[in-house]
Amino acid sequence: MDDLKSKYLGQIAEAGDENALEAIRVAAVGKKGEVALKMRELGKMTPEERQVAGPALNALKDEINSALSAKKSALADAALDERLRTEWLDVTLPTRARRQGSIHPISQATEELTAIFAELGFSVAEGPRIEDDWYNFDALNIPGHHPARAEMDTFYMHRAEGDNRPPHVLRTHTSPVQIRSMEKQGAPIRVICPGGVYRADYDQTHTPMFHQVEGLAIDKDISMANLKWVLEEFVKAFFEVEDVELRFRASHFPFTEPSAEVDIRCSWDNGQLKIGEGDDWMEILGSGMVHPKVIAAGGIDPEVYQGFAFGIGIDRLAMLKYGIPDLRAFFDSDLRWLRHYGFAALDMPNLHGGLSR
């Protein structure tokens, strides 16, 4: 017994790592270790011999296990001391910057145009995204046979059997907000109506859900000249150019008369769009004088008041300003895409209840 004790306690003391220590444990007190083999010999001994050898073997096993445990703790402490000696961390250094989020280009464009029109005297009006047929079509002088009212172009809400309410749709434009604003405020009025709209269309330049801002100004002496000035001031401010040339082309919209598509002078230089200079023209919005029937639908006397209206695609404005080639990327991209276009972490209050640059 004394030889085994001296042998294994000496080996344990000299063990240099946990692998060596484990090998000693197996050799000494493992299932086939020397102490285990000695304990199997107890069956061959007389009762008197077992009374002496049994307690001695158990004591030896316990002493070896205690020495193994103590050595293992000592090796762990030595390893920790070595790490503390060779590794260091300066806890006084500032933490690395972490980007918590990023404003979306559409939100950024909405913030910018809202601020610009606010300086021009326009307030912001909002309305429901689910509209009834009257606000979305009838009040805007869109007849029942108009293609926009077909189910292939408009998302109609499901109606249960026996539901006799007027049809409800996902609004196809924010023009219904103009009607609601006229009903609520009367005239004179100057509002813009930004928000999401829905149409059954999907390709590189169209998505089923997109964003518009529509403007409305009603007063007693408003003319197309006022419309042109407002749009020129907006385009100069939004695209950050000193001068701009707009071209009005006769068109037709049910809710305006006369109606005009608005083009902006531009050019392309190595794939980069330049607003306000060059020999090319690009359509950016539709506009016109509000149709008398629309003014009347808003509860205002068209014999006394007149005004202008315009509609702009916010998504398209963002594409033009930030050089984004595919409209669909707005809705299926991640933060890496946003950062590629320069939209960094949020750090400034904005109208959406969040932060922006």
Side-chain angles (χ1 to χ4, degrees):
M1 297 289 184
D2 291 338
D3 292 341
L4 288 177
K5 177 180 177 180
S6 176
K7 172 184 176 182
Y8 286 113
L9 292 183
Q11 290 180 3
I12 291 171
E14 294 176 359
D17 54 47
E18 291 193 12
N19 290 333
L21 199 63
E22 176 64 13
I24 296 169
R25 185 195 69 78
V26 172
V29 295
K31 290 183 179 181
K32 297 182 180 180
E34 285 194 72
V35 175
L37 293 176
K38 288 287 185 183
M39 297 188 78
R40 291 176 186 175
E41 296 176 359
L42 292 174
K44 301 177 182 179
M45 297 180 183
T46 63
E48 293 78 11
E49 290 175 331
R50 284 197 297 270
Q51 288 180 356
V52 176
L57 285 170
N58 284 328
L60 176 61
K61 182 178 180 181
D62 291 342
E63 191 169 357
I64 292 174
N65 281 330
S66 296
L68 288 168
S69 179
K71 184 63 176 182
K72 186 175 182 179
S73 295
L75 290 173
D77 290 342
L80 178 60
D81 290 340
E82 179 64 17
R83 287 188 61 191
L84 292 174
R85 186 180 65 81
T86 58
E87 298 179 9
W88 61 273
L89 175 66
D90 188 349
V91 296
T92 65
L93 290 175
T95 59
R96 294 184 178 91
R98 296 179 60 189
R99 294 184 174 183
Q100 299 297 323
S102 183
I103 191 169
H104 197 277
I106 294 176
S107 298
Q108 178 70 43
T110 303
E111 297 294 336
E112 293 178 6
L113 66 87
T114 298
I116 294 168
F117 280 115
E119 292 183 354
L120 295 174
F122 288 78
S123 60
V124 176
E126 296 182 325
R129 296 198 180 202
I130 298 177
E131 280 287 9
D132 64 38
D133 229 20
W134 191 82
Y135 280 107
N136 199 77
F137 295 121
D138 296 330
L140 295 163
N141 197 36
I142 300 176
H145 61 271
H146 196 280
R149 301 182 75 148
E151 290 190 8
M152 67 182 67
D153 293 312
T154 300
F155 293 104
Y156 282 83
M157 306 301 292
H158 174 73
R159 299 170 65 189
E161 185 176 353
D163 186 348
N164 296 319
R165 293 178 300 167
H168 282 69
V169 302
L170 292 178
R171 66 183 184 188
T172 58
H173 44 192
T174 54
S175 298
V177 184
Q178 297 180 1
I179 302 296
R180 293 180 178 274
S181 298
M182 285 190 284
E183 287 180 336
K184 181 179 180 180
Q185 300 181 33
I189 183 174
R190 275 186 289 182
V191 295
I192 60 168
C193 315
V197 298
Y198 306 83
R199 296 179 190 175
D201 205 352
Y202 187 70
D203 57 35
Q204 188 175 8
T205 57
H206 299 85
T207 55
M209 191 277 286
F210 55 103
H211 302 81
Q212 278 190 340
V213 58
E214 307 216 9
L216 173 72
I218 302 290
D219 210 330
K220 293 182 177 179
D221 56 357
I222 287 181
S223 68
M224 288 285 285
N226 302 124
L227 169 64
K228 186 173 185 291
W229 180 85
V230 166
L231 294 178
E232 285 177 345
E233 292 300 306
F234 166 72
V235 171
K236 285 190 291 186
F238 185 81
F239 289 106
E240 302 176 34
V241 294
E242 294 183 359
D243 195 18
V244 69
E245 184 178 350
L246 300 183
R247 181 176 68 179
F248 282 62
R249 289 181 292 106
S251 185
H252 169 73
F253 304 113
F255 27 79
T256 52
E257 181 59 40
S259 302
E261 300 277 7
V262 180
D263 301 333
I264 185 172
R265 185 179 287 280
C266 65
S267 64
W268 296 89
D269 184 9
N270 293 324
Q272 295 295 315
L273 175 66
K274 292 187 176 181
I275 299 293
E277 59 182 69
D279 299 324
D280 295 327
W281 295 91
M282 179 172 57
E283 177 192 332
I284 59 169
L285 61 94
S287 65
M289 297 297 291
V290 183
H291 197 290
K293 290 184 178 180
V294 175
I295 295 176
I300 298 174
D301 186 355
E303 297 295 329
V304 178
Y305 292 96
Q306 62 187 32
F308 64 74
F310 56 85
I312 312 173
I314 298 177
D315 310 49
R316 187 155 185 246
L317 285 178
M319 291 174 68
L320 294 175
K321 182 165 184 174
Y322 305 121
I324 299 170
D326 193 324
L327 179 64
R328 293 168 293 189
F330 282 128
F331 307 103
D332 59 10
S333 299
D334 58 19
L335 286 175
R336 292 169 297 178
W337 176 83
L338 290 173
R339 290 167 185 159
H340 171 75
Y341 285 100
F343 291 88
L346 314 179
D347 61 5
M348 185 183 300
N350 66 52
L351 296 177
H352 289 81
L355 298 171
S356 65
R357 279 208 181 280

Short mmCIF file of all heavy atoms in Angstrom, two decimals, residues 111-153:
data_model
loop_
_atom_site.label_atom_id
_atom_site.label_comp_id
_atom_site.label_asym_id
_atom_site.label_seq_id
_atom_site.Cartn_x
_atom_site.Cartn_y
_atom_site.Cartn_z
N GLU A 111 -39.81 62.90 -45.54
CA GLU A 111 -39.43 63.95 -44.60
C GLU A 111 -39.01 65.22 -45.34
O GLU A 111 -39.40 66.33 -44.97
CB GLU A 111 -38.27 63.46 -43.71
CG GLU A 111 -38.59 62.28 -42.83
CD GLU A 111 -39.61 62.59 -41.77
OE1 GLU A 111 -39.74 63.78 -41.41
OE2 GLU A 111 -40.29 61.65 -41.31
N GLU A 112 -38.21 65.05 -46.37
CA GLU A 112 -37.70 66.21 -47.10
C GLU A 112 -38.81 66.97 -47.81
O GLU A 112 -38.89 68.20 -47.71
CB GLU A 112 -36.64 65.75 -48.11
CG GLU A 112 -35.37 65.21 -47.46
CD GLU A 112 -34.36 64.72 -48.48
OE1 GLU A 112 -34.60 64.90 -49.69
OE2 GLU A 112 -33.32 64.16 -48.09
N LEU A 113 -39.68 66.26 -48.52
CA LEU A 113 -40.73 66.97 -49.26
C LEU A 113 -41.74 67.60 -48.30
O LEU A 113 -42.31 68.66 -48.60
CB LEU A 113 -41.40 66.04 -50.27
CG LEU A 113 -42.22 64.86 -49.78
CD1 LEU A 113 -43.67 65.23 -49.51
CD2 LEU A 113 -42.18 63.74 -50.84
N THR A 114 -41.98 66.95 -47.16
CA THR A 114 -42.89 67.54 -46.17
C THR A 114 -42.35 68.86 -45.66
O THR A 114 -43.10 69.85 -45.54
CB THR A 114 -43.10 66.56 -45.00
OG1 THR A 114 -43.71 65.35 -45.49
CG2 THR A 114 -44.01 67.17 -43.94
N ALA A 115 -41.04 68.90 -45.37
CA ALA A 115 -40.43 70.14 -44.90
C ALA A 115 -40.48 71.23 -45.97
O ALA A 115 -40.73 72.41 -45.67
CB ALA A 115 -38.99 69.86 -44.47
N ILE A 116 -40.25 70.85 -47.22
CA ILE A 116 -40.26 71.84 -48.31
C ILE A 116 -41.66 72.43 -48.48
O ILE A 116 -41.83 73.66 -48.56
CB ILE A 116 -39.78 71.19 -49.62
CG1 ILE A 116 -38.31 70.80 -49.50
CG2 ILE A 116 -39.99 72.13 -50.80
CD1 ILE A 116 -37.81 69.90 -50.62
N PHE A 117 -42.67 71.58 -48.55
CA PHE A 117 -44.03 72.10 -48.74
C PHE A 117 -44.52 72.87 -47.51
O PHE A 117 -45.34 73.78 -47.64
CB PHE A 117 -44.99 70.96 -49.08
CG PHE A 117 -44.92 70.54 -50.52
CD1 PHE A 117 -44.48 69.27 -50.87
CD2 PHE A 117 -45.29 71.41 -51.53
CE1 PHE A 117 -44.41 68.89 -52.20
CE2 PHE A 117 -45.22 71.04 -52.87
CZ PHE A 117 -44.78 69.77 -53.20
N ALA A 118 -44.01 72.52 -46.33
CA ALA A 118 -44.37 73.29 -45.13
C ALA A 118 -43.89 74.73 -45.27
O ALA A 118 -44.60 75.67 -44.88
CB ALA A 118 -43.77 72.63 -43.89
N GLU A 119 -42.69 74.91 -45.83
CA GLU A 119 -42.18 76.26 -46.04
C GLU A 119 -42.99 77.02 -47.09
O GLU A 119 -43.01 78.26 -47.10
CB GLU A 119 -40.71 76.20 -46.46
CG GLU A 119 -39.78 75.70 -45.36
CD GLU A 119 -38.33 75.72 -45.78
OE1 GLU A 119 -38.06 76.03 -46.96
OE2 GLU A 119 -37.46 75.45 -44.92
N LEU A 120 -43.68 76.27 -47.96
CA LEU A 120 -44.53 76.90 -48.97
C LEU A 120 -45.97 77.10 -48.48
O LEU A 120 -46.83 77.53 -49.24
CB LEU A 120 -44.54 76.04 -50.25
CG LEU A 120 -43.19 75.91 -50.98
CD1 LEU A 120 -43.31 74.92 -52.13
CD2 LEU A 120 -42.71 77.26 -51.49
N GLY A 121 -46.21 76.77 -47.21
CA GLY A 121 -47.51 77.04 -46.62
C GLY A 121 -48.49 75.88 -46.64
O GLY A 121 -49.68 76.07 -46.37
N PHE A 122 -48.01 74.67 -46.95
CA PHE A 122 -48.89 73.51 -47.00
C PHE A 122 -48.81 72.72 -45.69
O PHE A 122 -47.72 72.45 -45.18
CB PHE A 122 -48.49 72.57 -48.15
CG PHE A 122 -48.82 73.10 -49.52
CD1 PHE A 122 -48.02 74.07 -50.12
CD2 PHE A 122 -49.92 72.63 -50.22
CE1 PHE A 122 -48.31 74.57 -51.38
CE2 PHE A 122 -50.22 73.11 -51.48
CZ PHE A 122 -49.42 74.08 -52.06
N SER A 123 -49.96 72.34 -45.18
CA SER A 123 -50.01 71.46 -44.01
C SER A 123 -50.13 70.02 -44.49
O SER A 123 -50.39 69.75 -45.67
CB SER A 123 -51.19 71.81 -43.11
OG SER A 123 -52.42 71.70 -43.80
N VAL A 124 -49.95 69.06 -43.57
CA VAL A 124 -50.01 67.64 -43.91
C VAL A 124 -51.36 67.07 -43.47
O VAL A 124 -51.80 67.28 -42.35
CB VAL A 124 -48.87 66.86 -43.22
CG1 VAL A 124 -48.99 65.36 -43.50
CG2 VAL A 124 -47.52 67.38 -43.69
N ALA A 125 -52.00 66.35 -44.39
CA ALA A 125 -53.27 65.68 -44.09
C ALA A 125 -53.12 64.19 -44.34
O ALA A 125 -52.42 63.77 -45.27
CB ALA A 125 -54.40 66.25 -44.96
N GLU A 126 -53.77 63.39 -43.51
CA GLU A 126 -53.72 61.94 -43.67
C GLU A 126 -55.12 61.36 -43.65
O GLU A 126 -56.05 62.00 -43.15
CB GLU A 126 -52.87 61.31 -42.55
CG GLU A 126 -51.41 61.73 -42.58
CD GLU A 126 -50.60 61.05 -41.50
OE1 GLU A 126 -51.16 60.83 -40.41
OE2 GLU A 126 -49.43 60.72 -41.75
N GLY A 127 -55.24 60.16 -44.21
CA GLY A 127 -56.54 59.51 -44.25
C GLY A 127 -56.40 58.00 -44.25
O GLY A 127 -55.28 57.47 -44.29
N PRO A 128 -57.50 57.26 -44.20
CA PRO A 128 -57.44 55.80 -44.14
C PRO A 128 -56.93 55.18 -45.43
O PRO A 128 -57.16 55.71 -46.51
CB PRO A 128 -58.90 55.41 -43.86
CG PRO A 128 -59.70 56.53 -44.44
CD PRO A 128 -58.90 57.77 -44.21
N ARG A 129 -56.27 54.04 -45.30
CA ARG A 129 -55.80 53.33 -46.49
C ARG A 129 -56.90 52.46 -47.08
O ARG A 129 -56.80 52.07 -48.24
CB ARG A 129 -54.58 52.48 -46.14
CG ARG A 129 -53.38 53.32 -45.69
CD ARG A 129 -52.10 52.54 -45.77
NE ARG A 129 -50.96 53.35 -45.34
CZ ARG A 129 -49.70 53.11 -45.67
NH1 ARG A 129 -49.42 52.08 -46.44
NH2 ARG A 129 -48.72 53.87 -45.23
N ILE A 130 -57.90 52.14 -46.32
CA ILE A 130 -59.07 51.43 -46.85
C ILE A 130 -60.17 52.46 -47.04
O ILE A 130 -60.64 53.07 -46.08
CB ILE A 130 -59.53 50.30 -45.90
CG1 ILE A 130 -58.42 49.27 -45.73
CG2 ILE A 130 -60.79 49.65 -46.43
CD1 ILE A 130 -58.76 48.16 -44.75
N GLU A 131 -60.57 52.68 -48.29
CA GLU A 131 -61.55 53.70 -48.62
C GLU A 131 -62.80 53.07 -49.24
O GLU A 131 -62.74 51.97 -49.80
CB GLU A 131 -60.96 54.70 -49.62
CG GLU A 131 -60.06 55.75 -48.99
CD GLU A 131 -60.84 56.79 -48.20
OE1 GLU A 131 -62.06 56.62 -48.01
OE2 GLU A 131 -60.22 57.78 -47.80
N ASP A 132 -63.91 53.79 -49.13
CA ASP A 132 -65.09 53.31 -49.86
C ASP A 132 -65.06 53.85 -51.28
O ASP A 132 -64.27 54.73 -51.63
CB ASP A 132 -66.39 53.69 -49.13
CG ASP A 132 -66.61 55.19 -49.03
OD1 ASP A 132 -66.28 55.92 -49.99
OD2 ASP A 132 -67.14 55.65 -48.01
N ASP A 133 -65.90 53.29 -52.09
CA ASP A 133 -65.93 53.61 -53.52
C ASP A 133 -66.13 55.10 -53.77
O ASP A 133 -65.58 55.66 -54.72
CB ASP A 133 -67.07 52.81 -54.17
CG ASP A 133 -66.62 52.08 -55.42
OD1 ASP A 133 -65.40 51.89 -55.55
OD2 ASP A 133 -67.47 51.71 -56.23
N TRP A 134 -66.90 55.74 -52.91
CA TRP A 134 -67.24 57.14 -53.16
C TRP A 134 -66.01 58.03 -53.02
O TRP A 134 -65.72 58.85 -53.89
CB TRP A 134 -68.32 57.60 -52.19
CG TRP A 134 -68.88 58.94 -52.57
CD1 TRP A 134 -69.84 59.20 -53.50
CD2 TRP A 134 -68.46 60.21 -52.04
NE1 TRP A 134 -70.06 60.56 -53.60
CE2 TRP A 134 -69.23 61.20 -52.71
CE3 TRP A 134 -67.55 60.60 -51.09
CZ2 TRP A 134 -69.09 62.56 -52.44
CZ3 TRP A 134 -67.40 61.95 -50.80
CH2 TRP A 134 -68.17 62.92 -51.49
N TYR A 135 -65.27 57.89 -51.92
CA TYR A 135 -64.10 58.74 -51.71
C TYR A 135 -62.99 58.42 -52.72
O TYR A 135 -62.29 59.33 -53.17
CB TYR A 135 -63.55 58.56 -50.29
CG TYR A 135 -64.30 59.35 -49.25
CD1 TYR A 135 -65.15 58.72 -48.35
CD2 TYR A 135 -64.17 60.73 -49.16
CE1 TYR A 135 -65.84 59.43 -47.38
CE2 TYR A 135 -64.86 61.46 -48.20
CZ TYR A 135 -65.69 60.80 -47.32
OH TYR A 135 -66.38 61.52 -46.37
N ASN A 136 -62.82 57.15 -53.05
CA ASN A 136 -61.70 56.77 -53.91
C ASN A 136 -61.98 57.04 -55.39
O ASN A 136 -61.05 57.28 -56.16
CB ASN A 136 -61.38 55.28 -53.73
CG ASN A 136 -59.98 54.93 -54.23
OD1 ASN A 136 -58.99 55.21 -53.57
ND2 ASN A 136 -59.91 54.31 -55.40
N PHE A 137 -63.26 57.00 -55.79
CA PHE A 137 -63.59 57.15 -57.22
C PHE A 137 -64.64 58.24 -57.48
O PHE A 137 -64.36 59.23 -58.16
CB PHE A 137 -64.08 55.82 -57.79
CG PHE A 137 -63.04 54.73 -57.79
CD1 PHE A 137 -63.26 53.55 -57.12
CD2 PHE A 137 -61.84 54.89 -58.47
CE1 PHE A 137 -62.31 52.54 -57.12
CE2 PHE A 137 -60.88 53.88 -58.49
CZ PHE A 137 -61.12 52.71 -57.81
N ASP A 138 -65.84 58.05 -56.97
CA ASP A 138 -66.97 58.92 -57.34
C ASP A 138 -66.71 60.39 -57.03
O ASP A 138 -66.96 61.27 -57.88
CB ASP A 138 -68.25 58.47 -56.63
CG ASP A 138 -68.68 57.08 -57.07
OD1 ASP A 138 -68.40 56.73 -58.23
OD2 ASP A 138 -69.26 56.35 -56.25
N ALA A 139 -66.23 60.68 -55.82
CA ALA A 139 -66.00 62.08 -55.43
C ALA A 139 -64.90 62.71 -56.26
O ALA A 139 -64.82 63.94 -56.35
CB ALA A 139 -65.65 62.16 -53.94
N LEU A 140 -64.08 61.90 -56.91
CA LEU A 140 -62.97 62.41 -57.73
C LEU A 140 -63.32 62.40 -59.21
O LEU A 140 -62.44 62.46 -60.08
CB LEU A 140 -61.72 61.58 -57.47
CG LEU A 140 -61.18 61.72 -56.03
CD1 LEU A 140 -60.22 60.61 -55.70
CD2 LEU A 140 -60.53 63.08 -55.84
N ASN A 141 -64.62 62.30 -59.50
CA ASN A 141 -65.12 62.38 -60.89
C ASN A 141 -64.60 61.24 -61.75
O ASN A 141 -64.38 61.40 -62.96
CB ASN A 141 -64.73 63.73 -61.50
CG ASN A 141 -65.55 64.05 -62.75
OD1 ASN A 141 -66.73 63.72 -62.83
ND2 ASN A 141 -64.92 64.69 -63.72
N ILE A 142 -64.37 60.07 -61.13
CA ILE A 142 -63.93 58.89 -61.88
C ILE A 142 -65.18 58.04 -62.15
O ILE A 142 -65.76 57.49 -61.22
CB ILE A 142 -62.88 58.08 -61.09
CG1 ILE A 142 -61.65 58.95 -60.81
CG2 ILE A 142 -62.48 56.82 -61.85
CD1 ILE A 142 -60.60 58.28 -59.95
N PRO A 143 -65.62 57.95 -63.39
CA PRO A 143 -66.90 57.27 -63.69
C PRO A 143 -66.83 55.76 -63.46
O PRO A 143 -65.75 55.18 -63.36
CB PRO A 143 -67.11 57.59 -65.17
CG PRO A 143 -65.73 57.84 -65.71
CD PRO A 143 -64.97 58.48 -64.59
N GLY A 144 -67.98 55.14 -63.38
CA GLY A 144 -68.07 53.72 -63.10
C GLY A 144 -67.41 52.84 -64.14
O GLY A 144 -66.98 51.73 -63.83
N HIS A 145 -67.34 53.32 -65.40
CA HIS A 145 -66.74 52.51 -66.46
C HIS A 145 -65.23 52.74 -66.60
O HIS A 145 -64.60 52.17 -67.49
CB HIS A 145 -67.43 52.82 -67.80
CG HIS A 145 -67.26 54.27 -68.22
ND1 HIS A 145 -68.15 55.24 -67.84
CD2 HIS A 145 -66.32 54.90 -68.96
CE1 HIS A 145 -67.77 56.41 -68.34
NE2 HIS A 145 -66.65 56.22 -69.04
N HIS A 146 -64.64 53.55 -65.72
CA HIS A 146 -63.23 53.86 -65.85
C HIS A 146 -62.40 52.60 -65.59
O HIS A 146 -62.69 51.83 -64.67
CB HIS A 146 -62.84 54.95 -64.85
CG HIS A 146 -61.52 55.59 -65.14
ND1 HIS A 146 -60.31 55.00 -64.80
CD2 HIS A 146 -61.19 56.78 -65.73
CE1 HIS A 146 -59.32 55.78 -65.17
NE2 HIS A 146 -59.82 56.87 -65.73
N PRO A 147 -61.32 52.38 -66.38
CA PRO A 147 -60.51 51.16 -66.21
C PRO A 147 -59.91 51.00 -64.82
O PRO A 147 -59.70 49.88 -64.36
CB PRO A 147 -59.39 51.34 -67.25
CG PRO A 147 -59.97 52.24 -68.29
CD PRO A 147 -60.89 53.17 -67.56
N ALA A 148 -59.66 52.11 -64.12
CA ALA A 148 -59.06 52.03 -62.79
C ALA A 148 -59.97 51.31 -61.80
O ALA A 148 -59.51 50.79 -60.79
CB ALA A 148 -58.72 53.42 -62.28
N ARG A 149 -61.28 51.27 -62.11
CA ARG A 149 -62.21 50.65 -61.18
C ARG A 149 -62.35 49.16 -61.42
O ARG A 149 -63.05 48.48 -60.67
CB ARG A 149 -63.57 51.34 -61.29
CG ARG A 149 -63.49 52.83 -60.99
CD ARG A 149 -64.83 53.52 -61.04
NE ARG A 149 -65.65 53.22 -59.88
CZ ARG A 149 -66.53 54.07 -59.35
NH1 ARG A 149 -66.68 55.28 -59.87
NH2 ARG A 149 -67.24 53.73 -58.32
N ALA A 150 -61.70 48.64 -62.43
CA ALA A 150 -61.76 47.21 -62.70
C ALA A 150 -60.96 46.45 -61.64
O ALA A 150 -59.96 46.95 -61.12
CB ALA A 150 -61.22 46.90 -64.09
N GLU A 151 -61.39 45.23 -61.35
CA GLU A 151 -60.71 44.44 -60.32
C GLU A 151 -59.28 44.09 -60.71
O GLU A 151 -58.45 43.79 -59.86
CB GLU A 151 -61.52 43.17 -60.04
CG GLU A 151 -62.83 43.45 -59.33
CD GLU A 151 -63.49 42.18 -58.83
OE1 GLU A 151 -62.85 41.12 -58.90
OE2 GLU A 151 -64.63 42.25 -58.37
N MET A 152 -58.96 44.13 -62.00
CA MET A 152 -57.59 43.82 -62.41
C MET A 152 -56.64 44.96 -62.06
O MET A 152 -55.42 44.79 -62.08
CB MET A 152 -57.54 43.55 -63.92
CG MET A 152 -57.86 44.76 -64.79
SD MET A 152 -57.85 44.35 -66.55
CE MET A 152 -59.27 43.27 -66.68
N ASP A 153 -57.16 46.14 -61.75
CA ASP A 153 -56.32 47.28 -61.41
C ASP A 153 -56.44 47.70 -59.95
O ASP A 153 -55.53 48.35 -59.42
CB ASP A 153 -56.68 48.49 -62.29
CG ASP A 153 -56.32 48.26 -63.75
OD1 ASP A 153 -55.20 47.81 -64.00
OD2 ASP A 153 -57.17 48.50 -64.62
#
